[in-house]
Amino acid sequence: MLGGLGGYLIYIALLMIIPLWAQSKVKNTYKKYSKKATSSGMTGAEVARKILNDNGIYDVEVRETKGFLSDHYHPKKKTVNLSSNNFHGQSMASSAIAAHEVGHAIQDAQDYAFLRFRHALVPIANTGSNFSFFLIFAGIIFGMSEMLLLGIIFMSAAVLFQLVTLPVEFDASNRAMAQLVSTGVIRNNEERETKKVLNAAALTYVAAALVAVAELIRFILIYAASNE
């Protein structure tokens, strides 16, 4: 019993530690490279606009948004939204993040399959996130394996969304690096540092996917044990 409880506590601790470590890695990397200017001296907004123009994408607007690292691409509004530090910043971090978000705009313009699939999963994933834990814990508490199974099915949709997000984000980062180099925003000696920013950001998505998969496996094992 103690061994089982100890193992469970270690498992819970890992679920908390992995995302916290990833977030810390992102913040520390961003802090470091937000102090290092690129040789081009371009702001994040200028980088985003240049890459968009160079790829013939003129219907996407570059906007400043509030918040810290709140940068994102909005496919419906056709906007690349950059947090103030990155919108005005002339650093390697600002350029990397701006290019990454434009990478999503390029995916959208080129009808990238995984991006389309992820968009299609959004309503299903949201429903899964909202109802899965309620159904799972109700199933466990009341000993209703059918309800537990239904909760697992809902959770699977949310986990699938997390997994599909990985190729979307990695592809956007690869596009970002290629564009930053080809447009001359960064020079050869700046590529390594810029890639560190993109890799650190990717860790948050990897961590989220790992946690989601681990949780799903745990509940599947609970369901299997309840039906033995």
Side-chain angles (χ1 to χ4, degrees):
M1 178 68 179
L2 288 176
L5 178 60
Y8 179 74
L9 292 175
I10 292 173
Y11 169 79
I12 294 298
L14 286 175
L15 290 188
M16 296 174 63
I17 290 171
I18 291 174
L20 289 174
W21 171 78
Q23 291 174 13
S24 176
K25 180 72 173 178
V26 170
K27 289 180 180 179
N28 290 337
T29 303
Y30 177 80
K31 182 178 180 180
K32 178 178 180 180
Y33 291 104
S34 63
K35 297 177 181 177
K36 294 188 177 183
T38 60
S39 54
S40 66
M42 297 173 68
T43 65
E46 291 171 339
V47 170
R49 187 70 266 163
K50 177 172 177 55
I51 295 175
L52 286 167
N53 290 348
D54 285 356
N55 284 271
I57 303 173
Y58 304 106
D59 61 339
V60 173
E61 183 183 353
V62 181
R63 294 181 180 177
E64 181 178 359
T65 188
K66 296 180 181 179
F68 175 71
L69 292 180
S70 54
D71 314 82
H72 63 282
Y73 170 66
H74 199 302
K76 291 184 178 180
K77 295 182 178 179
K78 297 293 184 181
T79 57
V80 168
N81 304 280
L82 302 177
S83 55
S84 296
N85 287 342
N86 294 324
F87 188 91
H88 299 286
Q90 299 173 313
S91 67
M92 292 181 186
S94 298
S95 294
I97 291 172
H100 176 87
E101 299 310 330
V102 173
H104 289 307
I106 297 174
Q107 289 174 337
D108 193 14
Q110 296 180 354
D111 210 28
Y112 180 58
F114 278 108
L115 184 68
R116 290 282 171 265
F117 187 32
R118 186 174 74 167
H119 289 168
L121 286 173
V122 169
I124 302 172
N126 287 339
T127 302
S129 297
N130 292 331
F131 292 103
S132 60
F133 279 102
F134 171 78
L135 292 169
I136 287 171
F137 285 114
I140 293 173
I141 292 171
F142 298 110
M144 300 174 64
S145 61
E146 295 84 1
M147 186 173 289
L148 174 58
L149 178 59
L150 183 60
I152 289 171
I153 292 171
F154 273 109
M155 178 178 278
S156 297
V159 172
L160 179 60
F161 179 82
Q162 294 280 7
L163 293 175
V164 172
T165 293
L166 293 179
V168 173
E169 295 300 330
F170 283 123
D171 179 77
S173 289
N174 290 335
R175 292 173 188 263
M177 277 302 302
Q179 293 295 325
L180 287 169
V181 173
S182 64
T183 55
V185 173
I186 61 173
R187 304 291 186 262
N188 291 337
N189 60 328
E190 298 170 329
E191 290 182 32
R192 183 179 178 183
E193 287 77 8
T194 304
K195 189 172 290 186
K196 287 180 180 179
V197 177
L198 294 171
N199 288 343
L203 281 177
T204 59
Y205 297 102
V206 174
L210 285 174
V211 169
V213 170
E215 279 285 80
L216 179 61
I217 292 173
R218 180 166 74 95
F219 291 125
I220 289 174
L221 291 176
I222 290 173
Y223 172 77
S226 68
N227 285 275
E228 287 182 351

